């Protein structure tokens, strides 16, 4: 707690007195306002920790706790085996079961290789772990301080998102920052050791650099930074970050064009072209289309969300029902045998797309490593899979409007309901503004296209209301931004109220 409080005070004072060495410098927002915004962001760190402590008994069994565990495991080996640590930082470690690196370190991690088949996208858990093993030397091993650094990185990203779009929100600058800072899910999850804070940092920096390039403000440092951001986007949630760079990079260049007259039509045509090319490459390199990959992820996510005992024998990956009586522990720590007659699913390493079944276990002698135990989730969603249209509509419904106050079970679901209400109101305002035709529609159309496309992908691939609430946050902020774009705040200004 002490390192968290000290670092929080340092960040706040640096922003208040010198704009964090000039980083947070703006004509409309003064240092005192930035300081208050950061203070509000920082409050998410203890709120997240206390909420998970009260609702679930702690963070240990969730991604944030598993990331923290892995960071501590790997940082410990940085002190005892620096050679291994530097190999891991540069991606030169040996992950194979039985290898020195695996037996001495990696088998004690939880999210480094969480058992799922990473045969389509890179395991982006490793990006988060690597970054935070470096930060661990500054955080003194404190979970809250790790979360604070993540929160601050998200605040940097928010600042650059604001700088990228502020010229379209004249007189509404503080409103933009309030949305970006305090959109419920984004505020909540950027207060933890998770991917969302890093994603927001990459989104903000990418948008700002691309806007500068579109204005012909070149420079070798800018190009190098953009290359680094692109590389990170390939590794960390590429479906979000690469799609963001495509959508908004294209927007900035078309927006400044004096040749293109039908900007929205040109924009959608180029996006369609990029998607076709990317899908063709996916078919050639990965032997599956984007739709197939999303539906495969959906099936795996559904399997994991049902809970289970997850095992491996270094070759096969197995899932039993969420019942620890189905296994028997051996004398070797974290190794078990399967009791006779127990059914389970399994996947072979050379057949990662095929789910195989053993209806009744007969092998009671072989032992397996216990990866983890997950209880059945209470927030699973049953999508309507009658046909393609009903699947799309139900995915949008669950990703945008579920839950909606009725039958909410805990404080997080109440927060999600409040957020869904905000999204619904924002959609209504935006569609009304688009129909009104009084303002240039290009930016809000891009905002809606990006948000609704990502919401559909997330609803299809992660049918669980808790996962959707977290994953959709970096996309849905732009729905509220689109509504703010159309809102007329002149009445507030006439009454002397700062919007």
């Amino acid at each position: 707690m002490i390192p968290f409080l000290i670092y929080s005070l340092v960040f706040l004072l640096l922003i208040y007195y010198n704009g964090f060495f000039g980083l947070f410098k703006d004509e409309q927002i003064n240092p005192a306002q930035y300081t208050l915004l950061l203070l509000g962001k920082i409050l998410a760190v203890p709120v997240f920790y206390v909420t998970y402590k009260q609702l679930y008994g702690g963070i240990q069994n969730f991604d944030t706790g598993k990331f923290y565990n892995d960071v501590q495991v790997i940082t410990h080996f940085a002190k005892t085996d620096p050679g291994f640590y530097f190999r891991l930082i540069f991606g030169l470690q040996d992950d194979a079961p039985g290898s020195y690196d695996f037996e001495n370190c990696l088998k004690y991690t939880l999210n480094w290789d969480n058992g799922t088949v990473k045969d389509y996208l890179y395991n982006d858990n490793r990006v988060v772990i690597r970054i935070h093993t470096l930060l661990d030397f500054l955080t003194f091993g404190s979970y809250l301080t790790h979360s604070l650094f993540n929160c601050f990185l998200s605040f940097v990203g928010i600042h650059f998102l604001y700088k990228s779009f502020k010229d379209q929100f004249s007189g509404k600058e503080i409103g933009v920052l309030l949305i970006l800072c305090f959109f419920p899910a984004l505020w909540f999850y950027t207060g933890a050791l998770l991917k969302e804070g890093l994603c927001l940092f990459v989104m903000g920096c990418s948008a700002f650099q691309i806007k500068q390039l579109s204005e012909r403000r070149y420079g070798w440092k800018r190009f190098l930074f953009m290359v680094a951001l692109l590389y990170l986007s390939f590794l960390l949630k590429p479906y979000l970050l690469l799609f963001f760079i495509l959508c908004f990079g294209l927007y900035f260049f078309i927006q400044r064009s004096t040749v293109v007259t039908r900007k929205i039509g040109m924009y959608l045509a180029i996006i369609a072209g990029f998607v076709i090319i990317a899908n063709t490459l996916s078919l050639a390199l990965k032997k599956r289309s984007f739709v197939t990959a999303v539906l495969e992820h959906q099936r795996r996510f559904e399997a994991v969300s049902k809970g289970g005992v997850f095992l491996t024998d270094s070759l096969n990956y197995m899932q039993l029902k969420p019942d620890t009586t189905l296994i028997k522990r051996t004398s070797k720590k974290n190794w078990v045998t399967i009791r006779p007659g127990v059914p389970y699913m399994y996947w072979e390493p050379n057949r990662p797309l095929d789910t195989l079944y053993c209806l009744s276990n007969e092998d009671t002698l072989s032992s397996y490593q216990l990866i983890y135990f997950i209880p059945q989730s209470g927030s699973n969603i049953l999508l309507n899979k009658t046909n393609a249209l009903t699947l799309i509509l139900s995915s949008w419904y669950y990703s945008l409007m579920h839950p909606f106050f009725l039958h909410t079970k805990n404080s997080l679901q109440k927060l999600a309901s409040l957020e869904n209400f905000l999204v619904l109101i924002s959609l209504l305002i935006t569609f009304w503004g688009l129909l009104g035709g009084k303002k240039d529609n290009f930016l809000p159309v891009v905002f809606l296209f990006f948000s609704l496309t990502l919401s559909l992908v997330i609803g299809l691939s992660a049918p669980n209301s808790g996962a959707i609430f977290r994953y959709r946050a970096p996309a849905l902020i732009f729905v509220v931004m689109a509504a703010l774009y159309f809102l007329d705040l002149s009445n507030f200004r006439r009454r002397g109220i700062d919007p």
Side-chain angles (χ1 to χ4, degrees), residues 416-444:
S417 297
L418 178 64
E419 183 175 288
N420 290 336
F421 180 72
L422 175 62
V423 169
L424 179 59
I425 295 297
S426 297
L427 286 171
L428 292 174
I429 293 172
T430 302
F431 286 129
W432 182 263
L434 290 172
L435 292 173
K438 295 180 180 179
K439 298 186 70 173
D440 181 6
N441 289 341
F442 189 24
L443 182 60

Side-chain angles (χ1 to χ4, degrees), residues 2-161:
I2 293 177
F4 166 74
L5 293 174
I6 292 174
Y7 272 115
S8 297
L9 184 61
V10 168
F11 287 155
L12 291 168
L13 289 175
L14 283 174
I15 287 182
Y16 184 79
Y17 284 107
N18 65 8
F20 206 86
F21 307 105
L23 179 64
F24 295 91
K25 185 178 180 181
D26 188 72
E27 297 81 7
Q28 283 73 36
I29 310 298
N30 61 50
Q33 290 172 311
Y34 269 121
T35 304
L36 288 174
L37 289 168
L38 179 59
L39 178 60
K41 283 285 295 173
I42 288 175
L43 290 176
V45 176
V47 168
F48 180 94
Y49 187 81
V50 171
T51 299
Y52 268 66
K53 191 78 172 175
Q54 291 180 343
L55 290 181
Y56 310 112
I59 61 172
Q60 295 80 5
N61 297 322
F62 298 89
D63 275 343
T64 186
K66 292 175 182 178
F67 282 134
Y68 178 64
N69 169 82
D70 293 4
V71 169
Q72 297 308 301
V73 167
I74 292 171
T75 306
H76 169 75
F77 280 88
K79 303 168 186 174
T80 59
D81 190 349
F84 159 75
Y85 176 74
F86 284 108
R87 281 191 289 110
L88 179 136
I89 291 298
F90 291 102
L92 302 175
Q93 78 288 338
D94 188 348
D95 294 294
S99 67
Y100 172 85
D101 294 348
F102 181 86
E103 293 298 325
N104 285 277
C105 178
L106 298 179
K107 74 177 183 180
Y108 300 109
T109 60
L110 300 174
N111 257 9
W112 177 260
D113 188 358
N114 59 13
T116 56
V117 183
K118 298 290 182 181
D119 64 328
Y120 190 80
L121 297 175
Y122 179 76
N123 184 350
D124 56 0
N125 289 342
R126 299 183 178 186
V127 178
V128 180
I129 294 167
R130 282 191 173 101
I131 290 173
H132 279 273
T133 56
L134 296 172
L135 290 175
D136 198 65
F137 296 104
L138 301 174
T139 64
F140 304 99
S142 163
Y143 169 81
L144 291 177
T145 311
H146 273 286
S147 299
L148 173 66
F149 273 84
N150 225 29
C151 183
F152 184 73
L153 286 174
S154 76
F155 191 65
V156 174
I158 284 169
H159 167 68
F160 284 116
L161 278 175

Side-chain angles (χ1 to χ4, degrees), residues 308-309 311 318-328 336-346 356-364 368:
V309 178
L311 311 172
M318 286 151 280
Q319 179 182 349
L320 286 65
K321 291 181 180 179
D323 183 356
T324 54
T325 64
L326 302 179
I327 57 176
K328 183 180 179 180
V336 300
T337 59
I338 302 175
R339 295 187 183 275
V342 173
Y344 59 85
M345 298 182 292
Y346 67 101
L356 306 175
Y357 297 89
C358 174
L359 300 179
S360 179
N361 178 57
E362 297 179 358
D363 182 3
T364 60
Y368 309 93

Side-chain angles (χ1 to χ4, degrees), residues 204 399 453:
S399 62
T453 303

